[in-house]
Amino acid sequence: MRLREELPEFSSDMEWLNGSVAKEKLIGEVPLLVHFWSISCHLCENTFGIINRWKKTYGDKFHLVGIHMPITKEDVNNTLIKQKAERMNMTNSIYLDHDLVVSEKFQNRIVPSFYLFDKKGLLRHIQSGESGFRMLEKRLLLLMKDQ
């Protein structure tokens, strides 16, 4: 994806954890942070605490959607994904992208990755890896301020 592109649709026929969410519900009021992660990604584990802290600090001033993107054959085990999400206190909606449908729409190949959309659903920031969270938070704060 490129900056200023519109948020792609999430396939409604796939499985979700913690409830599904439609694109229409994600745009219009607050920014959206889309978080790509995988149960076999050790770097991803370091990101959960930061994201949970933001949700605690900023509450409903932004939406959060997780995309579980498998990187190994074992990563498509729904029980293991659910256990990891519970252990990491990820209570947001998590799309189980076993067939990489959403990952392809986002042109995402790396976990962890973050896509930040403004309230209109336009991509404003992309970040991959486990560092740079100050910049990501700064961008998120700017978008929350624009509300």
Side-chain angles (χ1 to χ4, degrees):
M1 290 193 72
R2 294 181 184 204
L3 293 179
R4 304 271 185 201
E5 281 189 48
E6 188 176 324
L7 174 69
E9 292 285 342
F10 297 109
S11 298
S12 59
D13 59 344
M14 297 301 287
E15 191 167 350
W16 290 79
L17 293 180
N18 305 327
S20 65
V21 64
K23 177 180 174 179
E24 307 81 60
K25 299 284 184 180
L26 295 172
I27 57 176
E29 296 178 18
V30 296
L32 166 66
L33 180 61
V34 178
H35 171 213
F36 283 83
W37 63 281
S38 183
I39 58 172
S40 64
C41 169
H42 299 294
L43 296 176
C44 295
E45 290 186 29
N46 299 332
T47 66
F48 295 123
I50 295 167
I51 293 169
N52 285 334
R53 189 171 59 245
W54 291 349
K55 282 307 285 180
K56 186 177 182 181
T57 302
Y58 306 121
D60 58 0
K61 293 182 180 179
F62 75 100
H63 291 301
L64 174 64
V65 172
I67 308 293
H68 182 268
M69 180 182 150
I71 54 177
T72 69
K73 288 186 282 186
E74 294 77 25
D75 287 350
V76 295
N77 183 321
N78 289 357
T79 301
L80 293 177
I81 298 167
K82 185 174 183 174
Q83 289 171 349
K84 179 76 136 205
E86 288 172 357
R87 199 167 51 250
M88 297 295 154
N89 297 315
M90 297 302 287
T91 58
N92 57 285
S93 295
I94 300 170
Y95 185 86
L96 303 181
D97 196 18
H98 295 329
D99 297 322
L100 303 177
V101 173
V102 172
S103 298
E104 287 178 16
K105 287 180 182 180
F106 277 77
Q107 300 169 346
N108 187 67
R109 292 168 183 39
I110 299 170
V111 290
S113 287
F114 304 88
Y115 293 75
L116 185 57
F117 293 86
D118 63 20
K119 66 181 182 179
K120 296 176 186 175
L122 300 177
L123 182 62
R124 302 300 296 270
H125 184 74
I126 302 170
Q127 185 169 311
S128 297
E130 67 170 331
S131 61
F133 282 96
R134 285 187 188 152
M135 176 59 76
L136 182 59
E137 184 177 21
K138 184 177 179 181
R139 299 282 181 154
L140 178 61
L141 287 168
L142 285 172
L143 291 177
M144 287 189 297
K145 194 184 274 189
D146 285 346
Q147 297 176 37

